[in-house]
Amino acid sequence: MDYSNLSKEELLAIIKQRDEKIDALEAKIYEVQEEKNKVLKKLEEVLEKKYIESARRFAKKTEIKTNVFNEAETHSNVDKHPGRKINTTNFDYEYLEAHVDNVITLKPEEKVCKECGELLVKVGEDVTYKVSYKAAKLLVTKVINEKYVCPIGHGIYQAVKDDPFPHSICTPSLAAQIMADKFLLGVPYYRQSQYYYDEGIKLSRQDLCNYQMRATEILEKYYDRLKYHLLNTKCGVLCADETTLKVVKEKKTCYMWVYLTSFYDNPIYVYDYALDRKADNPIKFLNGYKGYLLTDAYQAYDKVPNITNCYCWVHARRNFMDIIKGLGEKQLKSSKAKRMVDMIDELFDSERNYRKNKLTPNQIKLERNKKDYLTKIDKIKHYLDNIDAAPTSSLGKARDYMLKRWAGFLSFLKDGHIEMSNNISERAVKPFVIARKNFLFSFSSNGARSSAIYFSIQQTARANGFEPADFVIMLLEKLRPTSTIEEIDSLMPWEI
Protein backbone atom coordinates (compact mmCIF):
# COMPACT_ATOMS: atom_id res chain seq x y z
CA MET A 1 0.00 0.00 0.00
CA ASP A 2 1.25 3.50 -0.88
CA TYR A 3 1.22 5.69 2.25
CA SER A 4 2.80 8.76 0.64
CA ASN A 5 -0.49 10.46 -0.22
CA LEU A 6 -2.14 9.92 3.15
CA SER A 7 -2.69 12.70 5.64
CA LYS A 8 -1.17 12.74 9.13
CA GLU A 9 -4.53 11.83 10.65
CA GLU A 10 -4.94 8.86 8.29
CA LEU A 11 -1.44 7.61 9.08
CA LEU A 12 -2.08 7.87 12.81
CA ALA A 13 -5.33 5.93 12.38
CA ILE A 14 -3.48 3.15 10.54
CA ILE A 15 -0.79 3.02 13.24
CA LYS A 16 -3.45 2.88 15.96
CA GLN A 17 -5.25 0.08 14.15
CA ARG A 18 -1.96 -1.83 13.80
CA ASP A 19 -1.14 -1.38 17.49
CA GLU A 20 -4.59 -2.63 18.48
CA LYS A 21 -4.07 -5.76 16.38
CA ILE A 22 -0.66 -6.33 17.99
CA ASP A 23 -2.15 -5.89 21.47
CA ALA A 24 -4.94 -8.34 20.72
CA LEU A 25 -2.43 -10.85 19.34
CA GLU A 26 -0.23 -10.51 22.44
CA ALA A 27 -3.23 -11.13 24.67
CA LYS A 28 -3.97 -14.28 22.66
CA ILE A 29 -0.31 -15.37 22.96
CA TYR A 30 -0.53 -14.95 26.75
CA GLU A 31 -3.64 -17.12 26.81
CA VAL A 32 -1.92 -19.84 24.76
CA GLN A 33 1.22 -19.70 26.92
CA GLU A 34 -0.90 -19.99 30.06
CA GLU A 35 -2.52 -23.13 28.66
CA LYS A 36 0.92 -24.52 27.85
CA ASN A 37 1.96 -23.68 31.39
CA LYS A 38 -0.90 -25.75 32.79
CA VAL A 39 0.12 -28.67 30.59
CA LEU A 40 3.72 -28.31 31.80
CA LYS A 41 2.60 -28.47 35.42
CA LYS A 42 0.76 -31.71 34.71
CA LEU A 43 3.78 -33.04 32.83
CA GLU A 44 6.02 -32.28 35.81
CA GLU A 45 3.67 -34.25 38.05
CA VAL A 46 3.95 -37.19 35.65
CA LEU A 47 7.74 -36.86 35.57
CA GLU A 48 7.96 -36.91 39.35
CA LYS A 49 6.11 -40.23 39.29
CA LYS A 50 8.57 -41.46 36.68
CA TYR A 51 11.45 -40.90 39.09
CA ILE A 52 10.18 -43.88 41.09
CA GLU A 53 10.01 -45.97 37.94
CA SER A 54 13.50 -44.91 36.87
CA ALA A 55 14.87 -45.80 40.31
CA ARG A 56 13.51 -49.33 39.92
CA ARG A 57 14.92 -49.54 36.42
CA PHE A 58 18.42 -48.31 37.17
CA ALA A 59 19.03 -48.96 40.87
CA LYS A 60 20.84 -52.01 42.16
CA LYS A 61 18.42 -54.65 43.35
CA THR A 62 19.74 -54.35 46.91
CA GLU A 63 18.68 -50.70 46.95
CA ILE A 64 15.03 -51.61 46.48
CA LYS A 65 13.94 -52.55 49.97
CA THR A 66 10.26 -53.08 49.14
CA ASN A 67 9.31 -56.67 48.36
CA VAL A 68 7.92 -56.02 44.87
CA PHE A 69 6.46 -59.50 44.46
CA ASN A 70 4.46 -59.27 47.68
CA GLU A 71 3.53 -55.59 47.36
CA ALA A 72 0.15 -56.18 45.70
CA GLU A 73 -0.71 -58.86 48.26
CA THR A 74 0.32 -56.59 51.11
CA HIS A 75 -1.96 -53.75 50.01
CA SER A 76 -4.94 -55.76 48.75
CA ASN A 77 -6.25 -56.57 52.22
CA VAL A 78 -5.73 -53.07 53.58
CA ASP A 79 -7.13 -50.63 51.06
CA LYS A 80 -8.70 -51.33 47.70
CA HIS A 81 -7.90 -47.82 46.52
CA PRO A 82 -4.57 -46.78 48.12
CA GLY A 83 -3.83 -43.11 47.69
CA ARG A 84 -7.23 -42.16 46.26
CA LYS A 85 -8.99 -39.29 47.94
CA ILE A 86 -12.74 -39.32 48.54
CA ASN A 87 -14.80 -38.10 45.55
CA THR A 88 -11.79 -38.02 43.22
CA THR A 89 -10.62 -40.16 40.31
CA ASN A 90 -7.32 -41.93 40.13
CA PHE A 91 -6.21 -40.36 36.86
CA ASP A 92 -6.09 -37.05 35.07
CA TYR A 93 -8.45 -37.81 32.19
CA GLU A 94 -7.76 -34.49 30.48
CA TYR A 95 -4.10 -35.46 30.24
CA LEU A 96 -4.99 -38.93 28.93
CA GLU A 97 -7.34 -37.46 26.33
CA ALA A 98 -4.64 -35.06 25.12
CA HIS A 99 -2.19 -37.93 24.62
CA VAL A 100 -4.35 -40.50 22.85
CA ASP A 101 -2.29 -42.47 20.29
CA ASN A 102 -4.92 -44.92 19.17
CA VAL A 103 -8.72 -45.10 19.24
CA ILE A 104 -10.69 -48.34 19.32
CA THR A 105 -14.45 -48.18 18.80
CA LEU A 106 -16.48 -51.17 19.93
CA LYS A 107 -19.94 -51.77 18.47
CA PRO A 108 -22.46 -54.47 19.29
CA GLU A 109 -22.70 -57.32 16.76
CA GLU A 110 -26.45 -56.87 16.53
CA LYS A 111 -27.80 -54.27 14.08
CA VAL A 112 -31.45 -54.76 15.00
CA CYS A 113 -33.30 -55.57 18.23
CA LYS A 114 -33.50 -59.31 18.96
CA GLU A 115 -37.01 -58.91 20.36
CA CYS A 116 -38.78 -56.74 17.80
CA GLY A 117 -36.46 -56.41 14.83
CA GLU A 118 -36.28 -52.58 14.99
CA LEU A 119 -33.06 -50.90 13.80
CA LEU A 120 -30.85 -50.04 16.78
CA VAL A 121 -30.30 -46.33 17.55
CA LYS A 122 -27.14 -45.02 19.25
CA VAL A 123 -27.95 -43.25 22.52
CA GLY A 124 -24.51 -42.74 24.01
CA GLU A 125 -21.15 -44.32 24.74
CA ASP A 126 -18.90 -45.39 27.60
CA VAL A 127 -15.31 -44.16 27.39
CA THR A 128 -12.32 -45.76 29.09
CA TYR A 129 -8.59 -45.22 28.68
CA LYS A 130 -5.99 -47.99 28.51
CA VAL A 131 -2.27 -47.32 28.90
CA SER A 132 0.16 -49.80 27.35
CA TYR A 133 3.88 -50.06 27.95
CA LYS A 134 6.50 -50.75 25.31
CA ALA A 135 9.89 -51.45 26.83
CA ALA A 136 12.89 -49.52 25.55
CA LYS A 137 14.99 -51.54 23.11
CA LEU A 138 18.56 -51.04 22.01
CA LEU A 139 18.99 -51.51 18.26
CA VAL A 140 22.44 -52.34 16.94
CA THR A 141 23.09 -51.37 13.32
CA LYS A 142 26.07 -52.72 11.39
CA VAL A 143 27.42 -50.12 8.95
CA ILE A 144 29.49 -51.52 6.07
CA ASN A 145 31.29 -48.81 4.14
CA GLU A 146 32.60 -50.50 1.01
CA LYS A 147 35.86 -49.38 -0.53
CA TYR A 148 36.51 -49.23 -4.26
CA VAL A 149 39.79 -48.65 -5.98
CA CYS A 150 40.74 -47.50 -9.45
CA PRO A 151 42.35 -50.53 -11.15
CA ILE A 152 45.06 -48.37 -12.65
CA GLY A 153 45.91 -46.56 -9.44
CA HIS A 154 43.95 -43.28 -9.60
CA GLY A 155 42.69 -43.55 -6.02
CA ILE A 156 40.36 -45.15 -3.51
CA TYR A 157 36.63 -44.42 -3.53
CA GLN A 158 34.39 -44.67 -0.46
CA ALA A 159 31.12 -43.12 0.71
CA VAL A 160 31.53 -40.03 2.88
CA LYS A 161 29.85 -40.63 6.22
CA ASP A 162 27.95 -37.66 7.63
CA ASP A 163 28.15 -38.88 11.23
CA PRO A 164 27.90 -36.47 14.20
CA PHE A 165 29.60 -39.14 16.36
CA PRO A 166 32.47 -40.44 14.19
CA HIS A 167 34.55 -43.38 15.44
CA SER A 168 31.92 -44.13 18.10
CA ILE A 169 28.98 -46.48 18.60
CA CYS A 170 26.90 -43.46 19.69
CA THR A 171 24.00 -42.13 17.61
CA PRO A 172 21.78 -39.05 18.04
CA SER A 173 19.00 -41.20 19.53
CA LEU A 174 21.31 -42.87 22.05
CA ALA A 175 22.89 -39.56 23.10
CA ALA A 176 19.48 -37.92 23.45
CA GLN A 177 18.15 -40.78 25.57
CA ILE A 178 21.24 -40.84 27.79
CA MET A 179 20.91 -37.11 28.50
CA ALA A 180 17.12 -37.26 28.91
CA ASP A 181 17.51 -40.02 31.51
CA LYS A 182 20.02 -37.88 33.38
CA PHE A 183 18.50 -34.42 33.12
CA LEU A 184 14.79 -35.21 32.77
CA LEU A 185 14.57 -38.23 35.06
CA GLY A 186 17.63 -37.46 37.16
CA VAL A 187 19.40 -40.80 36.65
CA PRO A 188 23.19 -40.48 37.20
CA TYR A 189 25.57 -42.00 34.69
CA TYR A 190 26.96 -44.71 36.96
CA ARG A 191 23.48 -46.23 37.19
CA GLN A 192 22.89 -45.86 33.48
CA SER A 193 26.20 -47.62 32.86
CA GLN A 194 25.03 -50.57 34.95
CA TYR A 195 21.74 -50.70 33.07
CA TYR A 196 23.42 -50.78 29.65
CA TYR A 197 25.85 -53.42 30.91
CA ASP A 198 22.89 -55.58 31.96
CA GLU A 199 21.49 -55.12 28.45
CA GLY A 200 24.75 -56.38 26.95
CA ILE A 201 26.31 -53.04 25.94
CA LYS A 202 29.46 -52.12 27.85
CA LEU A 203 29.32 -48.35 28.25
CA SER A 204 31.40 -46.86 31.02
CA ARG A 205 30.47 -43.73 32.93
CA GLN A 206 33.27 -41.99 31.01
CA ASP A 207 31.74 -43.09 27.68
CA LEU A 208 28.41 -41.58 28.68
CA CYS A 209 30.09 -38.35 29.78
CA ASN A 210 31.94 -38.17 26.45
CA TYR A 211 28.70 -38.63 24.51
CA GLN A 212 27.14 -35.77 26.47
CA MET A 213 30.13 -33.51 25.84
CA ARG A 214 30.16 -34.31 22.11
CA ALA A 215 26.41 -33.79 21.82
CA THR A 216 26.55 -30.40 23.53
CA GLU A 217 29.45 -29.37 21.29
CA ILE A 218 27.06 -29.87 18.37
CA LEU A 219 24.25 -28.06 20.20
CA GLU A 220 26.33 -25.09 21.37
CA LYS A 221 25.65 -22.92 18.31
CA TYR A 222 21.95 -23.57 18.79
CA TYR A 223 22.26 -22.57 22.45
CA ASP A 224 23.95 -19.31 21.38
CA ARG A 225 21.04 -18.52 19.06
CA LEU A 226 18.54 -19.24 21.85
CA LYS A 227 20.40 -16.69 23.94
CA TYR A 228 20.32 -14.19 21.04
CA HIS A 229 16.54 -14.54 20.64
CA LEU A 230 16.09 -14.29 24.41
CA LEU A 231 18.01 -11.01 24.68
CA ASN A 232 16.12 -9.61 21.69
CA THR A 233 12.71 -10.31 23.15
CA LYS A 234 9.93 -8.50 21.33
CA CYS A 235 8.12 -7.65 24.55
CA GLY A 236 11.14 -6.25 26.37
CA VAL A 237 10.54 -8.32 29.53
CA LEU A 238 12.78 -11.07 30.90
CA CYS A 239 12.64 -13.11 34.11
CA ALA A 240 15.59 -14.52 36.06
CA ASP A 241 16.47 -16.76 38.99
CA GLU A 242 19.41 -18.86 40.20
CA THR A 243 20.17 -22.01 42.18
CA THR A 244 23.24 -23.78 43.54
CA LEU A 245 25.23 -26.53 41.81
CA LYS A 246 28.04 -28.63 43.25
CA VAL A 247 31.04 -28.91 40.91
CA VAL A 248 33.61 -31.36 42.29
CA LYS A 249 36.75 -29.86 40.75
CA GLU A 250 35.89 -26.32 41.83
CA LYS A 251 35.64 -27.34 45.52
CA LYS A 252 33.03 -24.67 46.23
CA THR A 253 29.38 -23.85 45.67
CA CYS A 254 28.74 -22.84 42.07
CA TYR A 255 25.52 -21.54 40.53
CA MET A 256 23.17 -22.21 37.67
CA TRP A 257 21.38 -19.06 36.56
CA VAL A 258 18.23 -19.22 34.44
CA TYR A 259 16.83 -16.49 32.19
CA LEU A 260 13.54 -16.75 30.32
CA THR A 261 11.04 -14.81 28.28
CA SER A 262 7.68 -13.63 29.57
CA PHE A 263 4.29 -15.13 28.74
CA TYR A 264 3.89 -12.71 25.84
CA ASP A 265 6.84 -14.05 23.86
CA ASN A 266 8.07 -17.30 22.38
CA PRO A 267 9.02 -19.51 25.36
CA ILE A 268 12.82 -19.53 25.72
CA TYR A 269 14.74 -20.90 28.72
CA VAL A 270 18.48 -20.28 28.88
CA TYR A 271 20.57 -21.70 31.74
CA ASP A 272 23.96 -20.18 32.41
CA TYR A 273 26.60 -21.86 34.58
CA ALA A 274 28.78 -19.62 36.76
CA LEU A 275 31.41 -20.14 39.46
CA ASP A 276 29.62 -17.87 41.92
CA ARG A 277 26.60 -15.68 42.60
CA LYS A 278 28.31 -12.35 41.95
CA ALA A 279 26.71 -9.55 39.95
CA ASP A 280 29.34 -9.99 37.21
CA ASN A 281 27.40 -13.02 35.96
CA PRO A 282 24.06 -11.34 35.08
CA ILE A 283 25.98 -8.26 33.92
CA LYS A 284 27.93 -10.37 31.43
CA PHE A 285 24.98 -12.51 30.34
CA LEU A 286 22.59 -9.58 29.86
CA ASN A 287 25.14 -7.42 28.04
CA GLY A 288 23.30 -5.49 25.33
CA TYR A 289 19.81 -6.15 26.72
CA LYS A 290 17.64 -3.12 27.40
CA GLY A 291 14.29 -3.69 29.03
CA TYR A 292 12.58 -4.94 32.17
CA LEU A 293 13.95 -7.72 34.39
CA LEU A 294 11.59 -9.50 36.79
CA THR A 295 13.37 -11.16 39.74
CA ASP A 296 13.14 -12.05 43.43
CA ALA A 297 15.00 -8.79 44.29
CA TYR A 298 18.42 -10.39 44.70
CA GLN A 299 20.78 -7.39 44.85
CA ALA A 300 23.10 -8.66 42.06
CA TYR A 301 20.44 -7.83 39.47
CA ASP A 302 20.38 -4.20 40.63
CA LYS A 303 23.87 -3.72 39.19
CA VAL A 304 22.96 -4.74 35.63
CA PRO A 305 23.07 -1.62 33.43
CA ASN A 306 20.32 -0.48 31.05
CA ILE A 307 17.54 -2.47 32.69
CA THR A 308 14.56 -1.62 34.87
CA ASN A 309 14.29 -3.98 37.84
CA CYS A 310 10.85 -5.36 38.66
CA TYR A 311 10.34 -7.24 41.90
CA CYS A 312 8.08 -10.18 42.57
CA TRP A 313 5.08 -9.47 44.81
CA VAL A 314 4.70 -13.18 45.60
CA HIS A 315 8.09 -13.14 47.33
CA ALA A 316 7.03 -10.14 49.38
CA ARG A 317 3.71 -11.78 50.26
CA ARG A 318 5.50 -15.00 51.25
CA ASN A 319 7.39 -13.19 54.01
CA PHE A 320 4.11 -12.17 55.64
CA MET A 321 2.53 -15.58 55.03
CA ASP A 322 5.36 -17.25 56.94
CA ILE A 323 4.40 -15.15 59.97
CA ILE A 324 0.70 -16.03 60.02
CA LYS A 325 1.04 -19.77 59.37
CA GLY A 326 1.27 -20.56 63.07
CA LEU A 327 -1.35 -18.08 64.28
CA GLY A 328 -4.68 -19.08 65.74
CA GLU A 329 -8.07 -17.75 64.64
CA LYS A 330 -8.17 -14.98 67.27
CA GLN A 331 -4.62 -13.88 66.56
CA LEU A 332 -5.33 -13.67 62.82
CA LYS A 333 -8.06 -11.08 63.40
CA SER A 334 -5.56 -8.57 64.79
CA SER A 335 -2.51 -9.68 62.80
CA LYS A 336 -0.76 -6.94 60.84
CA ALA A 337 0.85 -9.59 58.63
CA LYS A 338 -2.60 -11.03 57.80
CA ARG A 339 -3.85 -7.57 56.91
CA MET A 340 -0.90 -7.10 54.54
CA VAL A 341 -1.53 -10.49 52.87
CA ASP A 342 -5.18 -9.54 52.31
CA MET A 343 -4.22 -6.19 50.76
CA ILE A 344 -1.73 -7.81 48.38
CA ASP A 345 -4.31 -10.45 47.47
CA GLU A 346 -6.67 -7.68 46.35
CA LEU A 347 -4.10 -6.70 43.72
CA PHE A 348 -3.74 -10.29 42.55
CA ASP A 349 -7.53 -10.59 42.31
CA SER A 350 -7.53 -7.63 39.93
CA GLU A 351 -4.72 -9.20 37.90
CA ARG A 352 -6.64 -12.48 37.57
CA ASN A 353 -9.66 -10.58 36.31
CA TYR A 354 -7.54 -8.90 33.64
CA ARG A 355 -6.39 -12.29 32.38
CA LYS A 356 -9.88 -13.75 32.65
CA ASN A 357 -11.27 -10.91 30.55
CA LYS A 358 -8.39 -11.29 28.05
CA LEU A 359 -7.23 -7.70 28.30
CA THR A 360 -4.35 -6.64 26.07
CA PRO A 361 -1.06 -5.45 27.63
CA ASN A 362 -1.95 -1.81 26.90
CA GLN A 363 -5.36 -2.26 28.48
CA ILE A 364 -3.77 -3.86 31.54
CA LYS A 365 -1.42 -0.92 31.88
CA LEU A 366 -4.36 1.49 31.72
CA GLU A 367 -6.30 -0.49 34.34
CA ARG A 368 -3.31 -0.59 36.68
CA ASN A 369 -2.92 3.17 36.48
CA LYS A 370 -6.54 3.99 37.23
CA LYS A 371 -7.39 5.69 40.50
CA ASP A 372 -8.97 2.66 42.18
CA TYR A 373 -5.96 0.43 41.53
CA LEU A 374 -3.41 3.07 42.55
CA THR A 375 -5.40 3.72 45.70
CA LYS A 376 -4.95 0.06 46.70
CA ILE A 377 -1.18 0.41 46.23
CA ASP A 378 -1.10 3.68 48.20
CA LYS A 379 -2.90 1.94 51.09
CA ILE A 380 -0.28 -0.82 51.08
CA LYS A 381 2.52 1.74 51.19
CA HIS A 382 0.81 3.70 53.96
CA TYR A 383 0.24 0.53 55.98
CA LEU A 384 3.89 -0.53 55.57
CA ASP A 385 5.07 2.90 56.73
CA ASN A 386 3.02 2.59 59.89
CA ILE A 387 3.89 -0.99 60.92
CA ASP A 388 5.59 -0.64 64.30
CA ALA A 389 7.94 -3.62 64.57
CA ALA A 390 11.57 -4.16 65.50
CA PRO A 391 13.84 -4.38 62.41
CA THR A 392 15.14 -7.76 63.63
CA SER A 393 11.65 -9.26 64.02
CA SER A 394 10.02 -11.32 61.25
CA LEU A 395 7.40 -8.61 60.73
CA GLY A 396 10.04 -5.89 60.67
CA LYS A 397 12.11 -7.79 58.10
CA ALA A 398 9.05 -8.39 55.92
CA ARG A 399 8.15 -4.70 56.10
CA ASP A 400 11.67 -3.46 55.36
CA TYR A 401 12.07 -5.93 52.48
CA MET A 402 9.33 -4.07 50.63
CA LEU A 403 10.02 -0.50 51.75
CA LYS A 404 13.71 -0.62 50.79
CA ARG A 405 12.77 -1.85 47.29
CA TRP A 406 9.52 0.03 46.83
CA ALA A 407 10.44 1.56 43.44
CA GLY A 408 11.14 -1.90 42.04
CA PHE A 409 7.81 -3.19 43.33
CA LEU A 410 6.05 -0.41 41.38
CA SER A 411 7.84 -1.07 38.06
CA PHE A 412 5.06 -3.38 36.86
CA LEU A 413 2.82 -0.30 36.53
CA LYS A 414 4.94 0.88 33.59
CA ASP A 415 4.15 -1.95 31.16
CA GLY A 416 1.28 -4.43 30.85
CA HIS A 417 3.68 -7.16 29.72
CA ILE A 418 5.19 -7.33 33.22
CA GLU A 419 3.74 -9.86 35.63
CA MET A 420 3.40 -9.15 39.35
CA SER A 421 4.85 -12.59 40.04
CA ASN A 422 8.16 -14.24 39.14
CA ASN A 423 6.69 -17.73 39.60
CA ILE A 424 7.56 -18.55 36.00
CA SER A 425 11.28 -18.35 36.87
CA GLU A 426 10.87 -20.47 39.98
CA ARG A 427 9.14 -23.09 37.87
CA ALA A 428 12.02 -22.93 35.38
CA VAL A 429 14.51 -23.60 38.18
CA LYS A 430 12.44 -26.38 39.76
CA PRO A 431 13.11 -29.10 37.11
CA PHE A 432 16.85 -28.50 37.45
CA VAL A 433 16.63 -28.65 41.24
CA ILE A 434 14.65 -31.91 41.09
CA ALA A 435 17.10 -33.48 38.62
CA ARG A 436 20.06 -32.19 40.67
CA LYS A 437 18.80 -34.13 43.71
CA ASN A 438 19.44 -37.27 41.69
CA PHE A 439 22.59 -36.59 39.69
CA LEU A 440 23.90 -34.56 42.69
CA PHE A 441 26.83 -32.76 41.04
CA SER A 442 28.91 -32.03 37.96
CA PHE A 443 32.51 -33.18 37.97
CA SER A 444 34.00 -30.19 36.15
CA SER A 445 33.06 -26.73 34.90
CA ASN A 446 33.05 -28.08 31.34
CA GLY A 447 30.49 -30.67 32.41
CA ALA A 448 28.40 -28.03 34.19
CA ARG A 449 28.38 -25.81 31.09
CA SER A 450 27.45 -28.84 29.00
CA SER A 451 24.55 -29.42 31.39
CA ALA A 452 23.43 -25.79 30.98
CA ILE A 453 23.40 -26.14 27.18
CA TYR A 454 21.39 -29.33 27.22
CA PHE A 455 18.99 -28.16 29.94
CA SER A 456 18.28 -24.93 28.02
CA ILE A 457 17.28 -26.87 24.91
CA GLN A 458 15.36 -29.50 26.86
CA GLN A 459 13.24 -26.97 28.77
CA THR A 460 12.69 -24.71 25.75
CA ALA A 461 11.48 -27.72 23.76
CA ARG A 462 9.10 -28.74 26.55
CA ALA A 463 7.74 -25.21 26.95
CA ASN A 464 6.96 -25.15 23.21
CA GLY A 465 5.14 -28.48 23.27
CA PHE A 466 7.89 -30.79 22.00
CA GLU A 467 9.10 -34.04 23.55
CA PRO A 468 12.66 -33.11 24.65
CA ALA A 469 14.46 -36.32 23.60
CA ASP A 470 12.85 -36.30 20.14
CA PHE A 471 13.67 -32.61 19.71
CA VAL A 472 17.33 -33.17 20.63
CA ILE A 473 17.55 -36.12 18.22
CA MET A 474 16.28 -33.86 15.44
CA LEU A 475 18.88 -31.19 16.26
CA LEU A 476 21.76 -33.67 16.46
CA GLU A 477 20.77 -35.06 13.08
CA LYS A 478 20.47 -31.68 11.36
CA LEU A 479 23.06 -29.40 12.98
CA ARG A 480 26.57 -29.32 11.58
CA PRO A 481 29.63 -27.05 12.09
CA THR A 482 28.81 -25.44 8.73
CA SER A 483 25.15 -24.67 9.66
CA THR A 484 24.33 -21.02 8.96
CA ILE A 485 22.43 -18.70 11.30
CA GLU A 486 19.44 -18.94 8.98
CA GLU A 487 19.53 -22.74 9.08
CA ILE A 488 19.80 -22.75 12.87
CA ASP A 489 16.95 -20.25 13.27
CA SER A 490 14.73 -22.44 11.05
CA LEU A 491 15.06 -25.14 13.73
CA MET A 492 13.72 -22.95 16.53
CA PRO A 493 10.63 -24.64 18.03
CA TRP A 494 8.31 -21.76 17.09
CA GLU A 495 9.47 -22.02 13.44
CA ILE A 496 8.83 -25.76 13.07
Side-chain angles (χ1 to χ4, degrees):
M1 181 177 178
D2 184 12
Y3 296 101
S4 57
N5 295 323
L6 297 179
S7 66
K8 180 179 178 181
E9 289 74 18
E10 290 172 326
L11 288 171
L12 289 173
I14 292 174
I15 293 172
K16 182 180 178 182
Q17 187 179 25
R18 182 204 63 185
D19 289 344
E20 288 175 350
K21 288 182 179 178
I22 292 174
D23 283 346
L25 182 60
E26 286 181 332
K28 181 64 178 177
I29 290 173
Y30 183 95
E31 185 181 353
V32 172
Q33 301 293 26
E34 208 166 34
E35 287 301 314
K36 285 184 178 180
N37 205 33
K38 292 177 182 177
V39 173
L40 277 178
K41 287 181 179 178
K42 293 179 181 179
L43 180 59
E44 285 168 3
E45 292 174 2
V46 173
L47 287 174
E48 287 180 13
K49 293 177 183 177
K50 280 191 175 183
Y51 292 145
I52 299 173
E53 178 187 333
S54 67
R56 292 184 180 276
R57 177 183 174 194
F58 290 102
K60 295 178 181 179
K61 300 299 181 288
T62 54
E63 294 180 12
I64 303 176
K65 297 181 180 180
T66 304
N67 188 332
V68 178
F69 296 104
N70 294 331
E71 189 175 27
E73 182 180 312
T74 302
H75 288 293
S76 61
N77 296 326
V78 178
D79 187 354
K80 292 183 179 180
H81 304 289
R84 178 189 287 188
K85 296 180 180 179
I86 298 175
N87 298 325
T88 63
T89 58
N90 268 351
F91 309 108
D92 185 341
Y93 289 106
E94 288 184 9
Y95 178 84
L96 293 173
E97 178 61 31
H99 292 79
V100 170
D101 297 304
N102 187 32
V103 177
I104 298 175
T105 302
L106 303 177
K107 296 184 179 182
E109 294 181 359
E110 297 83 2
K111 303 295 183 183
V112 297
C113 178
K114 292 180 180 179
E115 299 295 328
C116 64
E118 286 292 325
L119 188 67
L120 298 178
V121 179
K122 180 180 177 181
V123 293
E125 58 189 20
D126 296 323
V127 178
T128 58
Y129 296 89
K130 309 294 290 184
V131 179
S132 303
Y133 176 75
K134 184 177 180 181
K137 184 178 180 181
L138 296 173
L139 301 176
V140 179
T141 302
K142 183 178 180 180
V143 180
I144 301 174
N145 194 356
E146 296 182 339
K147 293 183 180 180
Y148 290 81
V149 63
C150 172
I152 58 175
H154 286 156
I156 298 175
Y157 293 81
Q158 195 173 19
V160 178
K161 293 191 295 183
D162 185 17
D163 187 349
F165 298 90
H167 313 296
S168 166
I169 68 170
C170 190
T171 61
S173 60
L174 180 60
Q177 189 58 48
I178 287 169
M179 294 190 292
D181 283 338
K182 179 178 180 181
F183 295 111
L184 202 60
L185 297 181
V187 182
Y189 282 156
Y190 79 90
R191 285 189 175 173
Q192 290 194 45
S193 177
Q194 183 62 51
Y195 165 75
Y196 287 114
Y197 183 83
D198 292 343
E199 292 294 311
I201 303 293
K202 295 181 180 179
L203 292 176
S204 68
R205 179 177 174 276
Q206 187 60 54
D207 288 331
L208 301 177
C209 290
N210 289 340
Y211 298 159
Q212 175 191 328
M213 296 301 291
R214 172 56 186 154
T216 49
E217 281 178 13
I218 298 169
L219 298 171
E220 188 166 10
K221 289 177 70 175
Y222 190 88
Y223 170 85
D224 291 339
R225 288 304 294 172
L226 277 181
K227 178 180 176 181
Y228 170 83
H229 289 295
L230 176 92
L231 296 181
N232 289 276
T233 165
K234 297 175 183 177
C235 300
V237 178
L238 294 182
C239 309
D241 205 351
E242 71 287 330
T243 188
T244 57
L245 174 65
K246 181 180 179 181
V247 179
V248 175
K249 281 193 172 182
E250 297 301 334
K251 297 180 180 179
K252 66 174 183 178
T253 301
C254 299
Y255 282 83
M256 190 67 77
W257 301 68
V258 60
Y259 304 87
L260 58 153
T261 50
S262 71
F263 275 115
Y264 290 100
D265 215 329
N266 294 319
I268 302 175
Y269 293 62
V270 177
Y271 294 77
D272 184 48
Y273 164 70
L275 292 174
D276 50 45
R277 203 185 180 203
K278 293 180 180 178
D280 292 344
N281 298 300
I283 290 173
K284 180 180 178 182
F285 185 93
L286 294 169
N287 181 38
Y289 171 67
K290 297 180 181 180
Y292 297 99
L293 184 65
L294 179 59
T295 68
D296 59 3
Y298 174 47
Q299 59 187 9
Y301 298 112
D302 296 341
K303 300 178 182 179
V304 180
N306 302 316
I307 67 161
T308 300
N309 278 291
C310 312
Y311 298 142
C312 173
W313 282 76
V314 169
H315 276 78
R317 179 184 182 277
R318 192 175 297 157
N319 293 333
F320 293 101
M321 277 298 299
D322 289 341
I323 297 172
I324 67 176
K325 284 179 180 177
L327 300 182
E329 189 175 339
K330 290 183 178 180
Q331 292 173 309
L332 285 174
K333 291 181 179 180
S334 59
S335 170
K336 296 178 180 178
K338 177 64 167 61
R339 174 58 182 149
M340 181 55 61
V341 168
D342 291 341
M343 294 171 75
I344 293 175
D345 284 348
E346 287 184 28
L347 295 182
F348 279 111
D349 286 341
S350 297
E351 295 293 317
R352 277 189 286 272
N353 286 330
Y354 301 157
R355 311 305 176 192
K356 183 179 178 180
N357 295 325
K358 301 179 182 179
L359 298 190
T360 67
N362 280 341
Q363 289 172 331
I364 291 174
K365 179 183 176 181
L366 290 173
E367 290 297 321
R368 286 173 176 172
N369 285 276
K370 285 184 176 179
K371 185 177 180 180
D372 289 347
Y373 194 95
L374 294 178
T375 298
K376 293 178 183 178
I377 292 179
D378 289 340
K379 286 182 179 179
I380 291 175
K381 177 63 164 59
H382 179 74
Y383 198 81
L384 286 170
D385 287 332
N386 289 278
I387 290 178
D388 185 17
T392 56
S393 67
S394 297
L395 183 59
K397 290 178 180 178
R399 173 201 62 199
D400 294 343
Y401 176 85
M402 292 194 71
L403 288 178
K404 290 177 180 178
R405 301 169 177 82
W406 188 245
F409 279 108
L410 296 184
S411 294
F412 79 106
L413 299 174
K414 300 177 182 178
D415 194 315
H417 295 97
I418 306 169
E419 298 286 301
M420 280 187 68
S421 160
N422 194 34
N423 285 348
I424 185 174
S425 292
E426 291 191 340
R427 287 200 57 249
V429 164
K430 183 182 178 183
F432 183 85
V433 172
I434 291 174
R436 183 190 61 198
K437 289 179 181 178
N438 292 278
F439 64 74
L440 301 179
F441 59 84
S442 291
F443 187 70
S444 67
S445 288
N446 286 337
R449 173 163 172 76
S450 170
S451 302
I453 291 172
Y454 176 78
F455 223 83
S456 300
I457 295 171
Q458 169 189 285
Q459 295 304 111
T460 299
R462 282 180 59 192
N464 283 275
F466 289 88
E467 202 286 317
D470 291 343
F471 193 80
V472 171
I473 291 172
M474 181 272 294
L475 293 181
L476 292 176
E477 288 176 342
K478 293 187 177 183
L479 290 173
R480 291 296 178 268
T482 56
S483 296
T484 64
I485 289 176
E486 291 74 19
E487 289 171 335
I488 296 172
D489 283 350
S490 70
L491 299 176
M492 292 295 155
W494 53 88
E495 296 291 346
I496 298 175

